[in-house]
Amino acid sequence: MTIKVGDMLPSATFRVATADGPVPKSTDEVFKNKKVVLFAVPGAFTPTCHKNHLPSFIARADEILAKGVSTIAVTAVNDPFVMAAWEKASNAGGKILFLSDGNGEFAKALGLDFDGAAAGLGVRSKRYSMLVDDGEVLVLNVEDVPSKADKTNADVLLTQF
């Protein structure tokens, strides 16, 4: 079953890179009693993700936060070391929380995973964006094509608050 507006996010554990190594971060830690923008990408450093999707949220971060959002987070089915390298390479430090869903468990729990094995990518997350309030999905946008970020970029999400 695919998550939909009005649903509560499933419990999951992400990994976040720190100076002391990867640490777990639960969905409660990220979403409980907070308004959060979460977007997902099929893979860090992949062309659309790196050149279009993530930059749209970095560029519009101040406007998003001004709407009462406490956290803007991105997740991908990549390990925490890749996510940390992507954060550094994209100059997103402090604006976006990078959440590793290394085994795709969160993507699968949402019903927003896809099989990219034909392209050598294994299981990946579909590209989506959502507005979450205290764990409840208020807005959900999902791309039909993984290489597009037309429905899920920050510009579109900002019109949906």
Side-chain angles (χ1 to χ4, degrees), residues 6-147:
D7 288 349
M8 298 300 290
L9 291 178
S11 293
T13 301
F14 301 103
R15 299 283 184 267
V16 176
T18 70
D20 297 323
V23 295
K25 190 172 272 289
S26 70
T27 46
D28 275 354
E29 291 175 272
V30 177
F31 300 100
K32 190 170 182 149
N33 299 319
K34 298 176 192 166
K35 189 179 280 189
V36 177
V37 163
L38 176 67
F39 66 103
V41 298
F45 292 109
T46 57
T48 303
C49 306
H50 187 64
K51 294 177 184 174
N52 299 341
H53 205 190
L54 174 62
S56 78
F57 283 93
I58 295 170
R60 306 296 296 272
D62 292 339
E63 292 169 74
I64 292 169
L65 296 172
K67 291 194 174 261
V69 169
S70 60
T71 305
I72 304 168
V74 61
T75 186
V77 182
N78 290 113
D79 68 59
F81 302 103
V82 169
M83 295 297 280
W86 192 33
E87 178 179 9
K88 184 176 180 181
S90 63
N91 295 314
K95 291 187 176 187
I96 310 289
L97 175 62
F98 285 70
L99 301 170
S100 168
D101 182 22
N103 296 321
E105 293 162 353
F106 184 68
K108 289 174 191 171
L110 294 176
L112 292 173
D113 58 309
F114 75 93
D115 184 356
L121 300 173
V123 172
R124 294 292 173 144
S125 175
K126 290 183 179 181
R127 185 181 311 280
Y128 63 82
S129 63
M130 60 172 70
L131 176 62
V132 180
D133 191 3
D134 195 20
E136 180 184 354
V137 178
L138 301 181
V139 174
L140 175 62
N141 304 305
V142 181
E143 291 291 344
D144 299 320
V145 180
S147 62

